[in-house]
């Protein structure tokens, strides 16, 4: 293998594929990145931790001799990142060493035979979905944060992606709160899949790094999903199992509906949480009386009271929350005002934008004495 | 005590004085910040870890009732930082609690009596030095990084500040390298002091945060130094003991003098250090032959060769360095070209700017086989 490639293209591609490299693996080859220089002038970089595989193709590479080799991800990425932005010559020697060369630098590093590297390849297509890139990013951002981060909790570390003929829904929950986002979208048939929220967050970072507005194509079967966009292929092992029947959890009615400035509520809760005790569920108390929301919390160090003007219809209410779960949703929403719908101090509260039904967030209250 | 103060002034002052608060103390009151509202409309904030004390005065505060109280540094700073930029009312209740109030927030936090708080006060003046602020910042930046960070190493955790009638010198060393910076400056008499490099770095952060170009006044006796500028007083306990006779260490002559682009050398060393083994002194080898500097290093993962054009007078030389010690000085210098002066592969190397004698950096070589 021998090729010449610009430092910038190579460094950018490495930053993308290295997101699939895990440092926690006991399989040495998975700490590597597969370099594959093809006869038609392409360099294909791949990495995989078996759950997530990423492949990026750099077109228009000057391939002098085709071939493939695996290089240590950390070392190779470090070297390429620190080289100046000029053409880099990369050559495999007979003894599997790799020579990385520019006008003033010459690195000789150990390579590993590509024979053992997992094939990413194609997946058997049962369904195909095309999604707008910005929409997909937004939906990931507004759902994945609510998934459980506790690997022992099974299916709820994943985000449900549910496609009907008219909608795409994404749902995540962790037993204390749930985020549901829905967008209109034509699909040829209904389908669903569950993807680890950790993997979706990596996908979102990759989507944020690319400049083109090309749509994301998802090729799907019941074991795997393959995302394709701009010379990038991402293969994801789907989580197996039944997702929680989330529609049954969403309350059908409320006794108290509060409209409040998202920013004012965010700032007040941020301050009040200084004095909410971590050991005690970060308890914050909301007292909703007339057109005033009073937020209080206390710890050994003192107590705080915040008063925010609101619009309210329905009953006055007293309700306690874990401040983290409310702050999380206030951070991902962009709306100027939000609505909180409550039934009572011991029933789930729904937080959503003032307009539309595109987003709903459900949070369980903390019982207050 | 009761006063009204703008959030912005208070938050900025807290960020300054909290630099003297240590979390490692076992004396509870030292985790606090003393608030002292005076009858003439000033708020004086103070903090101290006994080695370093910082006092900042906010003039033009609306003092309704004079008095003083100590508040938890972390909690109080957190609260003030998160309040909106408006006037804050702060009032001490009879039970030593503190009420922090704005239009929508009201915090009640525990205070501590100010009786036990260490007096920062004045110091007995034996000498007084006035220093340009930018010059002082620059001298700290170019010396303190070379001091030892190992608290068990005694006096070399400090930086020597040496004043003669014509110069100020600052010197730091750690047994492997030494930085000496000298600037012309008229002083009424000779004097010297040794200040912990950690404290000087904190002083530099405070100097960087203030906007005025006011000179720094240093009031000095043989136990303490007091720095004064822009409503800020910093009292520093000086390190006691004799500093190393650094002038004897600086080589008087050289057999090989190399002039090289600082940027090229920095980038090449940065790359070469990827493959220098930490366990083995980060060894990097310089081969200086004719007008070429060849930098090499190797680890289990591979090896690297970098070639940089140089101007050389004198002998060819082979010399090894711990890459960290060379990189450290390349980071603090701003010069386009630097000079390296060497005697042999086993004698100290001096690195300095091309022009002048304001800065000299001495680094011990690592013996190479």
């Amino acid at each position: 293998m021998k090729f010449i490639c610009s430092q910038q293209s190579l460094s950018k591609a490495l930053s993308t594929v290295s997101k699939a490299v895990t440092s926690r693996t006991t399989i040495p080859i998975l700490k590597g990145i597969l370099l594959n220089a093809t006869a038609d002038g392409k360099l294909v970089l791949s990495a995989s931790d078996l759950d997530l595989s990423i492949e990026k193709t750099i077109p228009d590479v000057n391939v002098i001799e085709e071939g493939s080799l695996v290089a240590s991800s950390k070392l190779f990425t470090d070297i390429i990142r620190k080289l100046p932005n000029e053409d880099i010559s990369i050559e495999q020697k007979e003894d599997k060493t790799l020579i990385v060369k520019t006008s003033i630098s010459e690195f000789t590093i150990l390579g590993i035979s590509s024979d053992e590297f997992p094939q990413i390849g194609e997946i058997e297509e049962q369904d195909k979905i095309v999604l707008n890139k910005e929409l997909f990013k937004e939906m990931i951002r507004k759902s994945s944060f609510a998934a459980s981060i506790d690997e022992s909790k099974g299916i709820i570390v994943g985000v449900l992606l549910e496609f009907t003929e008219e909608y795409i829904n994404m749902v995540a929950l962790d037993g204390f709160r749930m985020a549901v986002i829905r967008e209109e979208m034509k699909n040829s048939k209904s389908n669903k899949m569950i993807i680890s929220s950790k993997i979706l967050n990596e996908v979102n970072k990759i989507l944020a790094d690319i400049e083109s507005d090309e749509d994301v194509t998802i090729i799907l079967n019941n074991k795997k999903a393959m995302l394709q966009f701009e010379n990038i292929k991402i293969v994801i092992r789907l989580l197996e199992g039944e997702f929680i029947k989330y529609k049954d959890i969403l309350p059908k009615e409320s006794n108290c509906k509060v409209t409040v400035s998202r920013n004012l509520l965010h700032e007040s809760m941020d301050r009040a949480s200084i004095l909410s005790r971590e050991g005690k569920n970060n308890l914050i108390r909301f007292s909703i009386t007339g057109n005033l929301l009073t937020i209080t919390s206390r710890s050994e160090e003192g107590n705080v009271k915040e008063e925010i003007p609101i619009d309210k219809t329905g009953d006055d209410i007293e309700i306690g929350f874990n401040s983290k779960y409310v702050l999380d949703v206030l951070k991902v929403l962009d709306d100027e005002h939000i609505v909180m719908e409550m039934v009572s101090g011991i029933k789930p509260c729904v937080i959503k934008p003032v307009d539309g039904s595109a987003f709903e967030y459900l949070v369980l209250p903390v019982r207050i004495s």
Side-chain angles (χ1 to χ4, degrees), chain A:
Chain A
M1 179 179 70
K2 183 172 180 183
F3 61 88
I4 293 164
C5 181
S6 92
Q7 184 268 347
Q8 210 175 5
S9 312
L10 192 52
S11 187
K12 212 175 150 199
L14 285 167
S15 137
T16 300
V17 298
S18 63
K19 291 188 169 63
V21 179
T22 166
S23 56
R24 290 179 305 170
T25 182
T26 53
I27 310 167
I29 201 153
L30 296 186
K31 290 184 184 163
I33 287 181
L34 173 67
L35 311 175
N36 184 15
T38 65
D40 59 345
K42 289 185 180 130
L43 175 67
V44 184
L45 302 167
S46 326
S48 176
D49 70 1
L50 303 179
D51 289 332
L52 169 67
S53 307
I54 304 174
E55 182 184 293
K56 160 117 190 185
T57 302
I58 309 178
D60 304 323
V61 169
N62 179 3
V63 176
I64 294 150
E65 194 189 331
E66 59 180 317
S68 61
L69 194 72
V70 176
S72 152
S73 167
K74 187 176 174 327
L75 179 62
F76 189 64
T77 304
D78 264 9
I79 291 171
I80 302 300
R81 188 166 37 86
K82 291 190 173 182
L83 284 170
N85 184 14
E86 55 178 79
D87 277 346
I88 306 176
S89 149
I90 295 183
E91 184 177 1
Q92 176 189 348
K93 291 287 173 194
E94 278 152 29
D95 62 350
K96 304 269 178 224
T97 58
L98 207 60
I99 314 287
V100 178
K101 212 166 161 177
T102 67
S103 58
I104 62 169
S105 305
E106 183 176 327
F107 282 84
T108 306
I109 60 173
L110 299 179
I112 311 170
S113 161
S114 58
D115 300 346
E116 305 292 316
F117 203 80
Q119 282 290 318
I120 295 175
E122 302 304 315
I123 78 167
E124 189 200 339
E125 176 175 334
Q126 290 172 358
D127 197 4
K128 182 172 169 175
I129 296 145
V130 178
L131 261 170
N132 174 280
K133 179 190 138 187
E134 291 304 321
L135 176 75
F136 191 35
K137 272 170 62 182
E138 187 68 2
M139 292 187 80
I140 294 174
R141 192 172 75 88
K142 288 186 175 169
S143 59
S144 66
F145 74 95
S148 176
I149 51 166
D150 180 348
E151 295 287 344
S152 72
K153 289 283 168 68
I155 202 80
I156 60 173
V157 299
V159 177
L160 173 69
L161 289 82
E162 197 178 39
F163 304 91
T164 71
E165 286 171 21
E166 290 172 343
Y167 285 102
I168 164 173
N169 293 327
M170 286 177 61
V171 185
L173 54 87
D174 70 356
F176 303 103
R177 39 77 180 270
M178 173 170 78
V180 180
I181 180 158
R182 157 189 295 203
E183 293 289 344
E184 282 187 36
M185 204 186 89
K186 293 267 168 270
N187 298 296
S188 56
K189 53 180 172 179
S190 292
N191 215 327
K192 57 186 173 185
M193 55 182 164
I194 306 167
I195 298 180
S196 144
S197 70
K198 231 167 64 187
I199 288 180
L200 276 181
N201 291 335
E202 291 302 328
V203 168
N204 231 7
K205 284 183 208 157
I206 296 172
L207 290 172
D209 278 348
I210 61 168
E211 283 143 32
S212 103
D213 284 331
E214 208 182 289
D215 284 341
V216 178
T217 301
I218 307 180
I219 312 281
L220 191 62
N221 66 31
N222 54 10
K223 293 276 187 201
K224 285 181 181 176
M226 179 162 78
L227 278 51
Q228 278 184 308
F229 48 92
E230 224 213 15
N231 296 321
I232 296 173
K233 260 192 215 171
I234 301 177
V235 176
I236 298 165
R237 199 169 60 81
L238 301 178
L239 296 181
E240 287 175 49
E242 273 300 305
F243 203 75
I244 283 80
K245 292 197 176 26
Y246 71 94
K247 281 173 191 157
D248 302 347
I249 307 172
L250 286 168
K252 304 287 175 285
E253 52 200 11
S254 74
N255 296 326
C256 171
K257 183 174 164 182
V258 167
T259 305
V260 60
S261 151
R262 183 182 58 85
N263 195 34
L264 275 188
L265 181 60
H266 188 179
E267 289 184 2
S268 279
M269 291 215 40
D270 198 28
R271 285 191 292 270
S273 66
I274 300 175
L275 288 172
S276 65
R277 284 173 290 185
E278 241 177 85
K280 301 228 170 181
N281 299 323
N282 303 307
L283 178 64
I284 293 211
R285 184 190 289 254
F286 279 34
S287 301
I288 295 155
T289 317
N291 285 320
L292 198 65
L293 163 60
T294 306
I295 300 174
T296 52
S297 69
R298 59 170 62 247
S299 75
E300 302 77 30
E301 295 188 291
N303 60 68
V304 52
K305 183 176 83 186
E306 297 271 335
E307 289 180 333
I308 312 176
I310 54 171
D311 274 340
K312 191 199 69 172
T313 53
D315 302 344
D316 288 350
I317 216 166
E318 297 265 327
I319 189 166
F321 293 110
N322 180 326
S323 62
K324 175 181 160 35
Y325 296 140
V326 181
L327 280 168
D328 278 355
V329 72
L330 296 176
K331 281 176 205 156
V332 302
L333 290 178
D334 317 300
D335 309 79
E336 204 169 323
H337 287 86
I338 55 148
V339 169
M340 301 181 72
E341 290 178 351
M342 286 152 283
V343 177
S344 76
I346 56 169
K347 291 278 175 66
C349 164
V350 173
I351 298 176
K352 55 188 189 185
V354 174
D355 296 315
S357 60
F359 180 81
E360 285 179 294
Y361 184 77
L362 179 138
V363 56
L364 296 190
V366 175
R367 202 177 278 262
I368 48 181
S369 48

